[in-house]
Amino acid sequence: MVTLADVARHAGVSASTVSYVLSGKRSISAPTRERIQHSIDALGYRPHAGARALASSRTDILALMMPLRTGLYMPVMMEIAMAVTTTARAHGYDVLLLTGEEGPEAVRRVEGSAIADGMIVMDVELDDPRLPCLREAERPAVLIGLPTETAGTTGTVETAGMAGTAASVDTAAPTDIAADPAGLAVDLDCVDLDFEAAGARCVDHLAGLGHTGIAVLGEPPAVYARGTGFAARTLTGLRAAADAHGVGLLHRPVDGTYAAVAAAVTRVFEERPGTTALVVQNEAAVEPLLALLRHQGRAVPEDVSVVAICPDQVAVHASVPLTAVSVPAQDMGRRAVERLVARLAGEAARGTELIAPRLTERASTGRAAGAAAPAPSPIPATEGRRGHGGR
């Protein structure tokens, strides 16, 4: 490993002179600085984080707070973490991963020790106890998630376009969201999937297929007990859309084991025998659910339609390819880093950015048994001619 003394010998100066150049504590002539920089480049010397911090008050490290809590689906968490890491490296930053359930104390530790230039915070709760410390910190922070407190701040949200088929990628248009009625400053950036809209899209899709009895297999009970933002917001969207369509909706939190899924689904069909569709927001429960339905002799989608909110790889590789709203884990991680890097470059916080949900139809949804088929849309004369060979 190349040391500071090696650089000094190569440049023909004292070690203290190299240290002064790195720290900026003393004025060094331009020719000497250039000679030292040439030696640093030639030898591939990399000053340690403390020396870099002395020179620029920066560590080139981002702290990623990813508490490993009960009920979380780790593949999604790790996919976000990998996206954060690779994007950070592309911008010249390393990532310090903090996995403890320390809450505000983790924020205070990062702030007090100056071990990172900024923070990315995951597993955000509606009333997240870390928010006051994040607001008081000198270092900027970006949340992957949306707490209640920031839901009304001025910013930009991407809202899903409603035109097009369910299998298509939704268009997204920037829209200003309302100013915070409490007058809170826009001092935190939040990036997340629009989970409320995602829940609504699931119900919209199923209602459009004639389903009037829908049950939701949600995250494990511990996730709701903590007030985890994404789960609560999804449920809000599901219920609002069910009310708008006049369909029945039953929600059951569930652990991802076969036994837990079997108990929950059995109760659903006992309580609501007219249930013809299931929405799953629990990646670990997907395969147990599909196995259970096969065991019960319920065909998907002929007897029961299933829609999931999950990453594409879970939906595509399920034993029945699932119609699903994609959880864009990589996009969320990338956008969070880009927001934080912009803050470190001097940009002001921009508030909340929600990624428009994208629902893709696959083999797991179909028309409800006995539901009338939708009336065909009238075809304009020009399109009728095109169907006979016109271009």
Side-chain angles (χ1 to χ4, degrees), residues 113-338:
S113 62
I115 57 176
D117 298 331
M119 295 168 269
I120 295 175
V121 180
M122 295 175 59
D123 194 31
V124 175
E125 299 170 8
L126 291 176
D127 298 310
D128 201 294
R130 296 169 291 187
L131 282 183
C133 292
L134 290 170
R135 291 187 182 281
E136 294 170 1
E138 293 183 4
R139 286 158 182 76
V142 175
L143 279 59
I144 300 179
L146 184 62
T148 301
E149 188 176 348
T150 60
T153 54
T154 301
T156 298
V157 59
E158 292 185 355
T159 54
M162 299 307 294
T165 64
S168 65
V169 177
D170 290 324
T171 58
T175 304
D176 288 336
I177 57 179
D180 178 12
L184 294 170
V186 186
D187 52 1
L188 290 177
D189 281 305
C190 301
V191 175
D192 207 0
L193 174 67
D194 189 342
F195 280 99
E196 188 170 336
R201 286 305 307 273
C202 293
V203 173
D204 292 342
H205 174 67
L206 293 170
L209 293 172
H211 294 278
T212 57
I214 301 172
V216 180
L217 298 184
E219 297 287 349
V223 173
Y224 296 98
R226 288 196 300 268
T228 307
F230 77 90
R233 287 173 23 237
T234 303
L235 187 54
T236 296
L238 287 162
R239 286 172 170 164
D243 288 344
H245 288 285
V247 304
L249 186 80
L250 186 66
H251 174 250
R252 289 289 180 266
V254 64
D255 289 316
T257 65
Y258 184 91
V261 171
V265 171
T266 298
R267 287 198 303 273
V268 164
F269 285 116
E270 287 175 351
E271 295 173 24
R272 301 281 182 87
T275 298
T276 59
L278 300 171
V279 177
V280 187
Q281 188 183 27
N282 184 329
E283 292 90 347
V286 165
E287 281 307 326
L289 171 64
L290 295 175
L292 174 68
L293 294 175
R294 285 194 299 271
H295 178 73
Q296 292 180 340
R298 301 180 192 271
V300 176
E302 291 81 2
D303 299 319
V304 182
S305 286
V306 179
V307 177
I309 300 173
C310 65
D312 281 337
Q313 63 266 30
V314 173
V316 170
H317 297 295
S319 54
V320 178
L322 295 175
T323 294
V325 172
S326 175
V327 175
Q330 293 186 22
D331 197 19
M332 291 155 63
R334 176 185 59 79
R335 292 186 190 216
V337 172
E338 290 173 349

Side-chain angles (χ1 to χ4, degrees), residues 347-389:
E347 289 189 17
R350 289 185 284 162
T352 299
E353 179 183 6
L354 297 179
I355 301 170
R358 175 176 58 85
L359 186 147
T360 302
E361 280 190 60
R362 298 187 180 93
S364 67
T365 53
R367 296 204 62 77
S377 300
I379 302 175
T382 53
E383 292 200 9
R385 288 194 297 269
R386 189 176 299 129
H388 286 83

